[in-house]
Amino acid sequence: MSAKTEAQKDNTMKDAGITQGAGTTDPVIAQVLKHFEAGDPAIMGLIAADIDFRIDHYKDDADIAWQSATDIEGFAQVLTRLGQEVFPQGTQILAADTQDLGNGWFLTRFEQRFFYARSAAMAESVTFITTHQEDGKMDFFREVVTTVTEI
């Protein structure tokens, strides 16, 4: 049995289009994104009770005031509303590159394709997500949606 090279470790999650920085193990955000794509309620088992969650949009006039939560119950409400109002047909991960920043912090560049209910069209987006995890649960999530492009 041979040890994996750093390059092989970087590609451990390519089945979901997810790559990681060298020397990391599967971060919680990678698992969260896979569950989100699958519409899997097991996502809730990866969320800390005191999650600090918010999605921001760059130069977009969308009403995003509701896209934040300070606990797991609020997160569940945001997740439900996202499924109904933004991603009614789910989403497909095109790519996700996660870098381990140390001390439980991760930065992810996330690309996805989805039917965007707001414009009633297929769209692709690129976002940057900063997360923190502790004891196998995500307790901090900030996503900046940089682009939503109709295709």
Side-chain angles (χ1 to χ4, degrees):
M1 190 158 141
S2 62
K4 285 186 176 181
T5 67
E6 290 303 312
Q8 288 169 321
K9 288 179 185 177
D10 286 348
N11 293 318
T12 58
M13 301 183 75
K14 67 181 175 181
D15 64 312
I18 299 173
T19 59
Q20 304 168 161
T24 61
T25 58
D26 297 350
V28 173
I29 184 59
Q31 299 169 55
V32 166
L33 292 175
K34 284 171 53 172
H35 287 304
F36 181 70
E37 179 183 40
D40 185 348
I43 194 172
M44 297 305 290
L46 299 169
I47 307 303
D50 62 345
I51 181 73
D52 183 347
F53 178 92
R54 189 173 76 227
I55 301 172
D56 293 316
H57 293 246
Y58 175 73
K59 291 192 177 182
D60 188 352
D61 61 356
D63 172 19
I64 59 166
W66 58 271
Q67 295 180 356
S68 66
T70 57
D71 57 34
I72 196 165
E73 292 82 10
F75 174 81
Q77 292 172 356
V78 171
L79 193 61
T80 298
R81 194 164 168 187
L82 283 171
Q84 294 168 344
E85 297 181 23
V86 180
F87 304 104
Q89 297 178 11
T91 192
Q92 175 190 4
I93 296 174
L94 301 177
D97 181 31
T98 297
Q99 296 176 330
D100 185 343
L101 303 175
N103 297 318
W105 289 96
F106 295 86
L107 178 62
T108 302
R109 182 179 188 279
F110 179 56
E111 297 176 49
Q112 63 184 329
R113 178 178 297 140
F114 55 98
F115 178 81
Y116 191 24
R118 183 168 179 239
S119 61
M122 289 301 294
E124 291 183 356
S125 72
V126 176
T127 71
F128 293 93
I129 305 169
T130 302
T131 56
H132 184 265
Q133 66 184 50
E134 190 169 11
D135 298 325
K137 297 200 182 248
M138 186 171 64
D139 59 8
F140 182 89
F141 179 103
R142 286 295 181 281
E143 180 176 18
V144 177
V145 178
T146 61
T147 63
V148 176
T149 307
E150 291 182 19
I151 54 172

